[in-house]
Structure formats: C-alpha cells, structure tokens
Amino acid sequence: MSRFVISCGGTGGHLSPGIALAEGLSGRGHQTLLLISQKKVDQRLSEKYPHLRFERMPGTGFTWQPWGFVRCVVSQGRAFTFCLRLLRKARTDGIVGFGGFTSAPIALAGWVLGVPSALHESNRVPGLAIRALGRFARRVYLPPGIRMSGVRAAARRHVGLPVRREIV
C-alpha cells in the first residue's frame, strides 16, 4: 500500500479528476489525501465524498494586479510551509498535481524533500502551474497531441481525463 497526496483544488475542473484518481487508487488499496483550496466550490464538492480524505490548504491564485500579486506570494509561501509539514508527517510516497495554485506549493515541497511527483494537465493549453513545474516532475500527463517545451520527452505521457465513478 502506498500513500499519495493529490493536489486538485481551486476549481471543479481540477477537483473532479482528482476525486476520480483518489477513488481509483483507494479501490486498489492505496491511501489518498486530496489537497483542496479554501474556496467554497471545493468545500461543497468535497462534502459529497465522505469516503475520501480532504485537507484544505492556504494559497491564492496568481495575478499581475499589484496587491493581488503580493497576496499571492505571501499565501503561496504559507502554503509551501504547510506542504513541507504535511509531507514530512504523512510520509507520502508520491504526489499528483492537477494544476492550479494548489499544485505549486506541494510540487515544490515534494521536490525539496525528494518525493516523486506527477502533474496532469487536462486543458489544451497548459496552465501556469504545469508549465512552471513540469521540469521538476517525474511525469507530466498531457492531453493527446499536446506538446510542452521545458519538459523532458521521457517524462511526457499523453492520456485522457480521469472520470468520477458516478459519471462513468
């Protein structure tokens, strides 16, 4: 049995595939912890899955607006510290990030602590977190036909989107 942290909060587009992966891994006997944001959308969706473990983490999304940028940098610093403590305590075997601002601090904390990570991008245009962190990940999963510079060819894999059980 392995322990995985799945970072998937911020939007339903990140959270839904994270839930699908957690259900699949749990069904195979692995332990999962899903990192979600403080947003209400994450809280509402997570309440529908009492059989899964969720942890709300600090952090806000990126913006170039001056005060928003400062707020983002400070909150992401707090999130990074939160993730370092979480990974040390949980003795995690692997990290999977689904993009967005919740993936950046956990992927960096994993890189610092030597915990292998994988990133999954479901969009045709890779987001900022995936583009920035792809070089640190052991695997980067992209939609079929999508190329991404800065990621080793050996690390790239082309896959579809994980789908939750109730949708299948």
PDB file of all heavy atoms in Angstrom, residues 7-8 11 13 19 25 34-35 43 52 54 56-59 72 75 78 100 102 116 119 122 132 151 153 162 165:
ATOM      1  N   SER A   7      -3.150  16.923  -5.276  1.00  0.00           N
ATOM      2  CA  SER A   7      -3.458  18.347  -5.206  1.00  0.00           C
ATOM      3  C   SER A   7      -4.397  18.695  -6.341  1.00  0.00           C
ATOM      4  O   SER A   7      -4.044  18.558  -7.513  1.00  0.00           O
ATOM      5  CB  SER A   7      -2.160  19.150  -5.315  1.00  0.00           C
ATOM      6  OG  SER A   7      -2.464  20.506  -5.408  1.00  0.00           O
ATOM      7  N   CYS A   8      -5.598  19.139  -5.984  1.00  0.00           N
ATOM      8  CA  CYS A   8      -6.595  19.295  -7.041  1.00  0.00           C
ATOM      9  C   CYS A   8      -7.610  20.395  -6.768  1.00  0.00           C
ATOM     10  O   CYS A   8      -8.653  20.441  -7.391  1.00  0.00           O
ATOM     11  CB  CYS A   8      -7.320  17.978  -7.257  1.00  0.00           C
ATOM     12  SG  CYS A   8      -8.090  17.306  -5.764  1.00  0.00           S
ATOM     13  N   THR A  11     -10.673  24.818  -8.571  1.00  0.00           N
ATOM     14  CA  THR A  11     -11.827  24.819  -9.477  1.00  0.00           C
ATOM     15  C   THR A  11     -12.350  23.393  -9.592  1.00  0.00           C
ATOM     16  O   THR A  11     -11.626  22.432  -9.322  1.00  0.00           O
ATOM     17  CB  THR A  11     -11.468  25.294 -10.907  1.00  0.00           C
ATOM     18  OG1 THR A  11     -10.648  24.301 -11.534  1.00  0.00           O
ATOM     19  CG2 THR A  11     -10.743  26.631 -10.901  1.00  0.00           C
ATOM     20  N   GLY A  13     -12.798  21.909 -12.255  1.00  0.00           N
ATOM     21  CA  GLY A  13     -12.027  21.283 -13.330  1.00  0.00           C
ATOM     22  C   GLY A  13     -10.762  20.607 -12.847  1.00  0.00           C
ATOM     23  O   GLY A  13     -10.244  19.704 -13.498  1.00  0.00           O
ATOM     24  N   ILE A  19     -10.614  13.683  -7.633  1.00  0.00           N
ATOM     25  CA  ILE A  19     -11.518  12.749  -6.948  1.00  0.00           C
ATOM     26  C   ILE A  19     -11.540  11.416  -7.686  1.00  0.00           C
ATOM     27  O   ILE A  19     -11.483  10.351  -7.070  1.00  0.00           O
ATOM     28  CB  ILE A  19     -12.932  13.358  -6.829  1.00  0.00           C
ATOM     29  CG1 ILE A  19     -12.913  14.499  -5.808  1.00  0.00           C
ATOM     30  CG2 ILE A  19     -13.959  12.289  -6.448  1.00  0.00           C
ATOM     31  CD1 ILE A  19     -14.174  15.336  -5.790  1.00  0.00           C
ATOM     32  N   LEU A  25      -7.336   4.915  -6.906  1.00  0.00           N
ATOM     33  CA  LEU A  25      -6.227   4.466  -6.057  1.00  0.00           C
ATOM     34  C   LEU A  25      -6.740   3.799  -4.783  1.00  0.00           C
ATOM     35  O   LEU A  25      -6.209   2.771  -4.354  1.00  0.00           O
ATOM     36  CB  LEU A  25      -5.317   5.646  -5.714  1.00  0.00           C
ATOM     37  CG  LEU A  25      -4.470   6.197  -6.854  1.00  0.00           C
ATOM     38  CD1 LEU A  25      -3.790   7.504  -6.442  1.00  0.00           C
ATOM     39  CD2 LEU A  25      -3.440   5.179  -7.316  1.00  0.00           C
ATOM     40  N   LEU A  34      -6.524  14.315  -0.476  1.00  0.00           N
ATOM     41  CA  LEU A  34      -6.734  15.323  -1.510  1.00  0.00           C
ATOM     42  C   LEU A  34      -6.550  16.710  -0.910  1.00  0.00           C
ATOM     43  O   LEU A  34      -7.207  17.058   0.079  1.00  0.00           O
ATOM     44  CB  LEU A  34      -8.138  15.203  -2.111  1.00  0.00           C
ATOM     45  CG  LEU A  34      -8.334  13.952  -2.956  1.00  0.00           C
ATOM     46  CD1 LEU A  34      -9.053  12.890  -2.163  1.00  0.00           C
ATOM     47  CD2 LEU A  34      -9.069  14.279  -4.214  1.00  0.00           C
ATOM     48  N   LEU A  35      -5.643  17.492  -1.489  1.00  0.00           N
ATOM     49  CA  LEU A  35      -5.438  18.874  -1.067  1.00  0.00           C
ATOM     50  C   LEU A  35      -6.361  19.765  -1.876  1.00  0.00           C
ATOM     51  O   LEU A  35      -6.335  19.737  -3.113  1.00  0.00           O
ATOM     52  CB  LEU A  35      -3.992  19.309  -1.308  1.00  0.00           C
ATOM     53  CG  LEU A  35      -2.952  18.803  -0.348  1.00  0.00           C
ATOM     54  CD1 LEU A  35      -1.583  19.373  -0.715  1.00  0.00           C
ATOM     55  CD2 LEU A  35      -3.293  19.163   1.079  1.00  0.00           C
ATOM     56  N   GLN A  43     -15.115  23.114  -1.037  1.00  0.00           N
ATOM     57  CA  GLN A  43     -15.787  22.617   0.163  1.00  0.00           C
ATOM     58  C   GLN A  43     -17.090  21.902  -0.197  1.00  0.00           C
ATOM     59  O   GLN A  43     -17.361  20.810   0.288  1.00  0.00           O
ATOM     60  CB  GLN A  43     -16.072  23.776   1.125  1.00  0.00           C
ATOM     61  CG  GLN A  43     -16.698  23.331   2.431  1.00  0.00           C
ATOM     62  CD  GLN A  43     -15.768  22.454   3.247  1.00  0.00           C
ATOM     63  OE1 GLN A  43     -14.564  22.651   3.269  1.00  0.00           O
ATOM     64  NE2 GLN A  43     -16.328  21.470   3.928  1.00  0.00           N
ATOM     65  N   LEU A  52     -13.631   9.866   1.184  1.00  0.00           N
ATOM     66  CA  LEU A  52     -12.287  10.336   0.838  1.00  0.00           C
ATOM     67  C   LEU A  52     -11.806  11.343   1.879  1.00  0.00           C
ATOM     68  O   LEU A  52     -12.604  12.028   2.511  1.00  0.00           O
ATOM     69  CB  LEU A  52     -12.290  10.998  -0.546  1.00  0.00           C
ATOM     70  CG  LEU A  52     -12.655  10.097  -1.721  1.00  0.00           C
ATOM     71  CD1 LEU A  52     -12.738  10.909  -3.011  1.00  0.00           C
ATOM     72  CD2 LEU A  52     -11.647   8.961  -1.863  1.00  0.00           C
ATOM     73  N   PHE A  54      -9.937  14.802   2.715  1.00  0.00           N
ATOM     74  CA  PHE A  54      -9.617  16.100   2.133  1.00  0.00           C
ATOM     75  C   PHE A  54      -8.917  16.958   3.170  1.00  0.00           C
ATOM     76  O   PHE A  54      -9.220  16.875   4.355  1.00  0.00           O
ATOM     77  CB  PHE A  54     -10.900  16.835   1.693  1.00  0.00           C
ATOM     78  CG  PHE A  54     -11.599  16.194   0.532  1.00  0.00           C
ATOM     79  CD1 PHE A  54     -12.538  15.200   0.742  1.00  0.00           C
ATOM     80  CD2 PHE A  54     -11.312  16.575  -0.767  1.00  0.00           C
ATOM     81  CE1 PHE A  54     -13.195  14.602  -0.317  1.00  0.00           C
ATOM     82  CE2 PHE A  54     -11.960  15.983  -1.836  1.00  0.00           C
ATOM     83  CZ  PHE A  54     -12.906  15.001  -1.616  1.00  0.00           C
ATOM     84  N   ARG A  56      -7.846  21.103   3.547  1.00  0.00           N
ATOM     85  CA  ARG A  56      -7.861  22.448   2.969  1.00  0.00           C
ATOM     86  C   ARG A  56      -6.513  23.106   3.244  1.00  0.00           C
ATOM     87  O   ARG A  56      -5.983  23.022   4.355  1.00  0.00           O
ATOM     88  CB  ARG A  56      -8.997  23.250   3.569  1.00  0.00           C
ATOM     89  CG  ARG A  56     -10.350  22.642   3.178  1.00  0.00           C
ATOM     90  CD  ARG A  56     -11.478  23.368   3.798  1.00  0.00           C
ATOM     91  NE  ARG A  56     -11.695  24.581   3.009  1.00  0.00           N
ATOM     92  CZ  ARG A  56     -12.660  25.447   3.251  1.00  0.00           C
ATOM     93  NH1 ARG A  56     -13.483  25.250   4.257  1.00  0.00           N
ATOM     94  NH2 ARG A  56     -12.799  26.502   2.490  1.00  0.00           N
ATOM     95  N   MET A  57      -5.963  23.746   2.223  1.00  0.00           N
ATOM     96  CA  MET A  57      -4.651  24.358   2.363  1.00  0.00           C
ATOM     97  C   MET A  57      -4.715  25.852   2.069  1.00  0.00           C
ATOM     98  O   MET A  57      -5.619  26.302   1.371  1.00  0.00           O
ATOM     99  CB  MET A  57      -3.642  23.683   1.437  1.00  0.00           C
ATOM    100  CG  MET A  57      -3.938  23.831  -0.039  1.00  0.00           C
ATOM    101  SD  MET A  57      -2.715  23.031  -1.088  1.00  0.00           S
ATOM    102  CE  MET A  57      -1.377  24.185  -0.997  1.00  0.00           C
ATOM    103  N   PRO A  58      -3.772  26.617   2.584  1.00  0.00           N
ATOM    104  CA  PRO A  58      -3.733  28.040   2.256  1.00  0.00           C
ATOM    105  C   PRO A  58      -3.285  28.234   0.811  1.00  0.00           C
ATOM    106  O   PRO A  58      -2.802  27.314   0.165  1.00  0.00           O
ATOM    107  CB  PRO A  58      -2.704  28.606   3.238  1.00  0.00           C
ATOM    108  CG  PRO A  58      -1.881  27.444   3.682  1.00  0.00           C
ATOM    109  CD  PRO A  58      -2.725  26.214   3.507  1.00  0.00           C
ATOM    110  N   GLY A  59      -3.446  29.431   0.337  1.00  0.00           N
ATOM    111  CA  GLY A  59      -2.977  29.762  -1.005  1.00  0.00           C
ATOM    112  C   GLY A  59      -4.041  30.472  -1.814  1.00  0.00           C
ATOM    113  O   GLY A  59      -5.233  30.266  -1.607  1.00  0.00           O
ATOM    114  N   CYS A  72      -0.765  36.822  -3.309  1.00  0.00           N
ATOM    115  CA  CYS A  72      -0.459  35.503  -3.853  1.00  0.00           C
ATOM    116  C   CYS A  72       0.897  35.002  -3.344  1.00  0.00           C
ATOM    117  O   CYS A  72       1.009  33.867  -2.897  1.00  0.00           O
ATOM    118  CB  CYS A  72      -0.476  35.551  -5.381  1.00  0.00           C
ATOM    119  SG  CYS A  72       0.056  34.008  -6.161  1.00  0.00           S
ATOM    120  N   SER A  75       0.654  34.168   0.426  1.00  0.00           N
ATOM    121  CA  SER A  75      -0.161  32.980   0.690  1.00  0.00           C
ATOM    122  C   SER A  75       0.481  31.715   0.133  1.00  0.00           C
ATOM    123  O   SER A  75       0.376  30.645   0.748  1.00  0.00           O
ATOM    124  CB  SER A  75      -1.578  33.151   0.136  1.00  0.00           C
ATOM    125  OG  SER A  75      -1.586  33.122  -1.269  1.00  0.00           O
ATOM    126  N   ARG A  78       3.057  30.603   2.645  1.00  0.00           N
ATOM    127  CA  ARG A  78       2.415  29.876   3.747  1.00  0.00           C
ATOM    128  C   ARG A  78       2.025  28.469   3.290  1.00  0.00           C
ATOM    129  O   ARG A  78       2.162  27.494   4.034  1.00  0.00           O
ATOM    130  CB  ARG A  78       1.188  30.628   4.237  1.00  0.00           C
ATOM    131  CG  ARG A  78       1.505  31.804   5.119  1.00  0.00           C
ATOM    132  CD  ARG A  78       0.306  32.311   5.904  1.00  0.00           C
ATOM    133  NE  ARG A  78      -0.936  32.295   5.181  1.00  0.00           N
ATOM    134  CZ  ARG A  78      -1.522  33.335   4.603  1.00  0.00           C
ATOM    135  NH1 ARG A  78      -0.941  34.518   4.672  1.00  0.00           N
ATOM    136  NH2 ARG A  78      -2.666  33.222   3.975  1.00  0.00           N
ATOM    137  N   GLY A 100      -3.233  24.397 -11.261  1.00  0.00           N
ATOM    138  CA  GLY A 100      -3.792  25.426 -10.410  1.00  0.00           C
ATOM    139  C   GLY A 100      -2.871  25.776  -9.253  1.00  0.00           C
ATOM    140  O   GLY A 100      -1.814  25.180  -9.054  1.00  0.00           O
ATOM    141  N   THR A 102      -3.034  25.282  -6.150  1.00  0.00           N
ATOM    142  CA  THR A 102      -2.796  24.308  -5.085  1.00  0.00           C
ATOM    143  C   THR A 102      -1.680  23.329  -5.449  1.00  0.00           C
ATOM    144  O   THR A 102      -1.123  22.689  -4.566  1.00  0.00           O
ATOM    145  CB  THR A 102      -4.076  23.519  -4.735  1.00  0.00           C
ATOM    146  OG1 THR A 102      -4.530  22.844  -5.893  1.00  0.00           O
ATOM    147  CG2 THR A 102      -5.164  24.425  -4.179  1.00  0.00           C
ATOM    148  N   PRO A 116       8.618  11.851  -5.195  1.00  0.00           N
ATOM    149  CA  PRO A 116       8.311  11.899  -6.627  1.00  0.00           C
ATOM    150  C   PRO A 116       6.931  12.500  -6.888  1.00  0.00           C
ATOM    151  O   PRO A 116       5.990  12.263  -6.131  1.00  0.00           O
ATOM    152  CB  PRO A 116       8.355  10.442  -7.080  1.00  0.00           C
ATOM    153  CG  PRO A 116       8.457   9.618  -5.861  1.00  0.00           C
ATOM    154  CD  PRO A 116       8.773  10.493  -4.701  1.00  0.00           C
ATOM    155  N   LEU A 119       2.404  15.442 -12.702  1.00  0.00           N
ATOM    156  CA  LEU A 119       1.459  16.523 -12.967  1.00  0.00           C
ATOM    157  C   LEU A 119       0.538  16.105 -14.100  1.00  0.00           C
ATOM    158  O   LEU A 119       0.972  15.458 -15.041  1.00  0.00           O
ATOM    159  CB  LEU A 119       2.199  17.808 -13.348  1.00  0.00           C
ATOM    160  CG  LEU A 119       3.149  18.367 -12.288  1.00  0.00           C
ATOM    161  CD1 LEU A 119       3.949  19.536 -12.856  1.00  0.00           C
ATOM    162  CD2 LEU A 119       2.385  18.797 -11.053  1.00  0.00           C
ATOM    163  N   SER A 122      -5.238  18.881 -17.997  1.00  0.00           N
ATOM    164  CA  SER A 122      -6.397  18.423 -18.760  1.00  0.00           C
ATOM    165  C   SER A 122      -6.773  19.384 -19.883  1.00  0.00           C
ATOM    166  O   SER A 122      -7.581  19.045 -20.736  1.00  0.00           O
ATOM    167  CB  SER A 122      -7.593  18.217 -17.832  1.00  0.00           C
ATOM    168  OG  SER A 122      -7.897  19.417 -17.173  1.00  0.00           O
ATOM    169  N   ALA A 132       5.309  25.859 -15.267  1.00  0.00           N
ATOM    170  CA  ALA A 132       6.401  26.246 -14.367  1.00  0.00           C
ATOM    171  C   ALA A 132       7.011  25.047 -13.649  1.00  0.00           C
ATOM    172  O   ALA A 132       8.216  25.027 -13.392  1.00  0.00           O
ATOM    173  CB  ALA A 132       5.893  27.262 -13.343  1.00  0.00           C
ATOM    174  N   VAL A 151       9.781  20.300 -20.727  1.00  0.00           N
ATOM    175  CA  VAL A 151       9.579  19.014 -20.061  1.00  0.00           C
ATOM    176  C   VAL A 151      10.299  17.947 -20.873  1.00  0.00           C
ATOM    177  O   VAL A 151      10.122  17.860 -22.091  1.00  0.00           O
ATOM    178  CB  VAL A 151       8.069  18.667 -19.950  1.00  0.00           C
ATOM    179  CG1 VAL A 151       7.875  17.283 -19.363  1.00  0.00           C
ATOM    180  CG2 VAL A 151       7.346  19.709 -19.128  1.00  0.00           C
ATOM    181  N   ALA A 153      11.261  14.760 -22.805  1.00  0.00           N
ATOM    182  CA  ALA A 153      10.413  13.861 -23.598  1.00  0.00           C
ATOM    183  C   ALA A 153      10.129  12.568 -22.837  1.00  0.00           C
ATOM    184  O   ALA A 153       9.025  12.031 -22.904  1.00  0.00           O
ATOM    185  CB  ALA A 153      11.067  13.558 -24.942  1.00  0.00           C
ATOM    186  N   PRO A 162      -9.182  11.654 -16.075  1.00  0.00           N
ATOM    187  CA  PRO A 162      -9.844  10.715 -15.162  1.00  0.00           C
ATOM    188  C   PRO A 162     -11.303  11.152 -14.949  1.00  0.00           C
ATOM    189  O   PRO A 162     -11.593  12.334 -14.834  1.00  0.00           O
ATOM    190  CB  PRO A 162      -9.059  10.846 -13.862  1.00  0.00           C
ATOM    191  CG  PRO A 162      -7.777  11.493 -14.232  1.00  0.00           C
ATOM    192  CD  PRO A 162      -8.067  12.329 -15.433  1.00  0.00           C
ATOM    193  N   ARG A 165     -16.554   8.012 -10.710  1.00  0.00           N
ATOM    194  CA  ARG A 165     -17.388   6.801 -10.823  1.00  0.00           C
ATOM    195  C   ARG A 165     -18.821   7.101 -11.226  1.00  0.00           C
ATOM    196  O   ARG A 165     -19.386   6.419 -12.061  1.00  0.00           O
ATOM    197  CB  ARG A 165     -17.417   6.060  -9.496  1.00  0.00           C
ATOM    198  CG  ARG A 165     -16.184   5.271  -9.225  1.00  0.00           C
ATOM    199  CD  ARG A 165     -16.343   4.480  -7.945  1.00  0.00           C
ATOM    200  NE  ARG A 165     -15.024   4.043  -7.517  1.00  0.00           N
ATOM    201  CZ  ARG A 165     -14.699   3.778  -6.287  1.00  0.00           C
ATOM    202  NH1 ARG A 165     -15.593   3.892  -5.329  1.00  0.00           N
ATOM    203  NH2 ARG A 165     -13.487   3.388  -5.983  1.00  0.00           N
TER     204      ARG A 165
END
